[in-house]
Amino acid sequence: MADVKAYNHAQGAAAALVGPSRSRIKGILVYATAVTAFTLKDGSATGETLLDITIAAGWNDVFLPDDGILASNGVYVSALTGSGSKLTLLLG
């Protein structure tokens, strides 16, 4: 079992690959200043969409069942809306 590490991404930051080149999304924490949407893709802007979700304002813990979501080519944050929102990815 791999260690879980946290990686942050803030709204307004450029779309980017976050964490290791291959990882499993074990959890997602979001501080949303308003209704916030985000999209995670596999490896790049053109990769398969792994998660596309809209959440309410406030602290949010996105539930991922079982072993989470495998990002074979890394987790790419392609979109994060909601001025001032912050995304924390727990990757293993």
Side-chain angles (χ1 to χ4, degrees):
M1 181 172 274
D3 291 334
V4 174
K5 294 185 179 171
Y7 298 88
N8 294 312
H9 190 85
Q11 189 280 328
L17 192 61
V18 178
S21 59
R22 176 184 165 92
S23 57
R24 187 170 294 278
I25 306 167
K26 304 295 268 180
I28 302 170
L29 305 171
V30 184
Y31 173 69
T33 56
V35 172
T36 295
F38 63 91
T39 303
L40 305 178
K41 294 191 172 224
D42 188 15
S44 71
T46 59
E48 175 187 2
T49 298
L50 301 173
L51 182 65
D52 187 22
I53 192 170
T54 302
I55 57 172
W59 279 104
N60 294 274
D61 183 356
V62 179
F63 173 73
L64 300 173
D66 298 323
D67 291 331
I69 301 171
L70 178 62
S72 299
N73 299 301
V75 179
Y76 186 83
V77 180
S78 68
L80 175 59
T81 66
S83 179
S85 295
K86 296 183 192 272
L87 181 67
T88 300
L89 300 168
L90 304 174
L91 306 178

